[in-house]
Amino acid sequence: MTAESTTPENTSASENAVTDDKKPAEKPPAPRTAAKGEGETGADKAAAPKAAAKKEKPPALEDKPFAEFIQQDYLPALKAALEKQGIADLSLALAKQKIPVTGFAQEPECWQIVGTWEAGKRQFNLYFFKEDIQGHKAFSYTENAAKASTLESFLIDERKVTLDLMVFGIMQRLNAQKWLVRN
């Protein structure tokens, strides 16, 4: 009895099909890269570091100094949003003034955005206890030159306060007061 060897010449086509299925798929060869200095022109060498360097992001608006951000970015955005709601005689200002608090011998002072319209009949204040939009903030309003409402916390649950979020917060608060849209 002789043992048959299994060489490619004496295997059947069906055996080849089975063994071909079991073979792992071969990866295509990797593209050849030029060796250092091979095939590169002076322009290619200069472009390579520029392409490798990441583009730096411009600083966020919110990273500007406090007064600059408020004056240049926030007040114009807030004014545009309120005018879009139909408020015509709007006056917005940033001022460092005392908070009208009853019961204190000395009223605390902080930065405030004071917004008035309807010939001063409606007023809201946004208080910044630090020169930082990420810090503690409060809101109050008054109507018909009455005493200001209770100080309410403003955007306290937000991780990062942005320009759009601050505009939205005031719009939402004034709308809740029914000053923008009537029911």
Side-chain angles (χ1 to χ4, degrees), residues 20-28:
D20 285 346
D21 290 342
K22 293 179 183 177
K23 288 182 183 177
E26 292 183 22
K27 293 180 182 177

Side-chain angles (χ1 to χ4, degrees), residues 155-183:
L155 298 178
I156 59 170
D157 294 334
E158 306 303 326
R159 283 187 171 174
K160 183 174 181 183
V161 177
T162 63
L163 172 67
D164 293 336
L165 185 60
M166 287 178 59
V167 171
F168 174 76
I170 291 291
M171 299 300 290
Q172 185 179 30
R173 186 59 194 88
L174 294 176
N175 196 36
Q177 197 57 38
K178 306 294 186 228
W179 282 6
L180 302 179
V181 180
R182 301 274 181 208
N183 278 349

Side-chain angles (χ1 to χ4, degrees), residues 1 4 9-10 18 22 28 49 51 54 59 67 71 83 87 105 107 110 116 122-123 132 144 164 168 170-171 173:
M1 196 171 188
E4 287 186 26
E9 295 92 328
N10 55 0
V18 170
K22 293 179 183 177
K54 291 184 179 181
Q71 294 287 358
E83 286 176 348
I87 297 173
E107 295 175 337
C110 70
T116 59
R122 291 191 172 170
Q123 177 180 330
D132 181 14
N144 294 324
D164 293 336
F168 174 76
I170 291 291
M171 299 300 290
R173 186 59 194 88

Side-chain angles (χ1 to χ4, degrees), residues 60-64 66 68-81 113 126 128 133-134 137 154-155 158 160-171:
L61 292 175
E62 295 81 8
D63 294 336
K64 287 182 178 181
F66 175 78
E68 185 179 321
F69 168 76
I70 296 295
Q71 294 287 358
Q72 293 177 359
D73 301 308
Y74 183 62
L75 292 180
L78 182 59
K79 186 170 187 158
I113 292 176
L126 178 59
F128 295 90
I133 63 167
Q134 304 298 335
K137 295 170 285 303
F154 184 76
L155 298 178
E158 306 303 326
K160 183 174 181 183
V161 177
T162 63
L163 172 67
D164 293 336
L165 185 60
M166 287 178 59
V167 171
F168 174 76
I170 291 291
M171 299 300 290

